[in-house]
Amino acid sequence: FFFLMIRRPPRSTQGVSSAASDVYKRQVSTQSTWDINLFKEKKRMSKLNMDVLKESIKKMMTTDKKRGFLETVELQVLLKDYDPQKDKRFMGSVKLPNVPRPKLRICVIGDAAHLEEAKKIQGIETKDVDGLKAFNKVKKDIKKWAKKFHVLLCTDTIVKQLTKLLGPILNKINRFPIAITHNESLEKKIDEVKSSVKFQLKKVLCMGFAVGNVEMTEEQLRQNITMSINFLVSLLKKGWQNIKTLHVKRTMGAVQRVYGQILN
């Protein structure tokens, strides 16, 4: 008896139709993944009702009273199912499309080049190394000076000397400077700082963030508020499930509900 042995081709040598089938499967798989991600993104944003947000902004901006200062528009957040003592505290910042705080008080601690650049920018105060040494590490004087500003910027080479020059006081009062280099425009860095909002969970579940001002249009406010809310949701461990209420408020105005239960 003779046995006819037929050798199967190795799996690596697939036919044209088989290879094309694999390519199609990969395309379908990629498309499915993209569709799922798109669905998740829409689902994440769908919690925020745009009609309610627009109506809240309109009510907030409707007033005949004029103040002697620029009112800030604040996003007020109340979280739920979050334990600041046990859960990891989040922190992050996002650059908004419209500058919410154009009158942010900023001081540049810099070398000769940065100080020269800062003097050309309106409304920016400066301090050199000799000015820091003049404090003689007196905490009261350093604190009084630093508290005058919302943000401190400092040349990266000087940042390393700050603890030696001033001690740890800037860290304690939450005024430690943002490092700046000569590889970036100082003016652009200042605009970025003015446009950014920092989200940080501390010991309480209620938070407030400046997201605009009353000189902005309703559409600009809507853009800033929407981006701020979506960024905050991305930081939370359970997303929208950790949001109890969202409100917007101008400095001298009433609270307007954006999401969740009405505050009593």
Side-chain angles (χ1 to χ4, degrees):
F1 296 94
F2 296 95
F3 295 93
L4 181 62
M5 298 180 64
I6 302 176
R7 184 182 178 188
R8 292 181 60 187
R11 293 184 179 182
S12 59
T13 59
Q14 297 178 342
V16 176
S17 60
S18 178
S21 175
D22 285 350
V23 171
Y24 174 74
K25 287 177 181 177
R26 286 197 297 270
Q27 289 177 342
V28 171
S29 177
T30 303
Q31 182 66 31
S32 299
T33 304
W34 185 86
D35 288 341
I36 291 171
N37 290 335
L38 181 62
F39 173 76
K40 288 181 179 178
E41 179 69 14
K42 287 183 176 179
K43 186 177 181 182
R44 181 171 69 85
M45 295 182 64
S46 64
K47 291 280 187 179
L48 189 61
N49 189 312
M50 284 298 149
D51 292 333
V52 173
L53 176 58
K54 289 178 181 178
E55 185 62 26
S56 297
I57 294 173
K58 188 175 182 179
K59 287 180 180 179
M60 177 181 64
M61 298 296 286
T62 304
T63 179
D64 295 329
K65 293 182 181 180
K66 297 203 174 181
R67 310 291 177 179
F69 63 95
L70 182 61
E71 292 183 68
T72 298
V73 174
E74 186 179 60
L75 172 65
Q76 298 180 343
V77 181
L78 180 60
L79 301 178
K80 65 178 181 179
D81 300 331
Y82 225 105
D83 188 345
Q85 304 300 326
K86 296 180 180 179
D87 296 328
K88 185 178 179 181
R89 297 184 188 181
F90 58 81
M91 182 175 67
S93 60
V94 61
K95 183 181 178 182
L96 301 180
N98 307 289
V99 178
R101 301 173 293 174
K103 296 184 179 181
L104 196 71
R105 293 191 298 275
I106 298 174
C107 180
V108 174
I109 305 168
D111 56 16
H114 270 145
L115 294 181
E116 187 65 29
E117 194 176 352
K119 288 176 183 177
K120 298 177 183 178
I121 305 172
Q122 187 176 2
I124 302 299
E125 294 193 32
T126 60
K127 182 75 74 175
D128 58 12
V129 173
D130 290 336
L132 298 180
K133 290 179 180 178
F135 286 122
N136 202 26
K137 292 188 178 180
V138 179
K139 294 181 181 179
K140 184 178 178 182
D141 294 343
I142 297 171
K143 186 176 180 180
K144 184 179 178 181
W145 163 76
K147 283 286 188 178
K148 293 193 301 182
F149 307 101
H150 295 106
V151 178
L152 298 177
L153 301 178
C154 183
T155 304
D156 55 347
T157 54
I158 299 177
V159 169
K160 301 172 184 177
Q161 307 174 40
L162 286 179
T163 303
K164 182 179 178 181
L165 293 170
L166 303 176
I169 185 65
L170 293 181
N171 261 328
K172 292 181 179 179
I173 63 173
N174 197 28
R175 286 295 186 279
F176 196 82
I178 299 171
I180 52 177
T181 68
H182 294 290
N183 296 327
E184 57 184 341
S185 166
L186 180 59
E187 188 171 7
K188 287 184 178 180
K189 185 66 177 180
I190 290 172
D191 288 340
E192 180 183 329
V193 170
K194 289 182 177 181
S195 301
S196 299
V197 176
K198 183 180 179 180
F199 297 89
Q200 183 175 6
L201 178 65
K202 296 185 179 179
K203 295 181 180 180
V204 293
L205 297 181
C206 52
M207 300 175 289
F209 312 97
V211 294
N213 61 77
V214 294
E215 288 185 352
M216 294 169 64
T217 66
E218 292 183 13
E219 176 58 23
Q220 288 175 327
L221 286 171
R222 186 198 66 78
Q223 292 173 0
N224 278 13
I225 293 169
T226 302
M227 179 174 285
S228 298
I229 292 173
N230 286 332
F231 181 76
L232 173 62
V233 169
S234 72
L235 295 176
L236 301 175
K237 62 175 185 178
K238 294 182 180 178
W240 279 100
Q241 294 179 31
N242 290 127
I243 299 287
K244 187 172 184 178
T245 58
L246 294 170
H247 292 78
V248 290
K249 182 186 180 299
R250 60 191 292 169
T251 306
M252 303 299 290
V255 173
Q256 302 295 333
R257 183 180 66 89
V258 173
Y259 173 81
Q261 299 174 349
I262 300 175
L263 289 178
N264 294 323

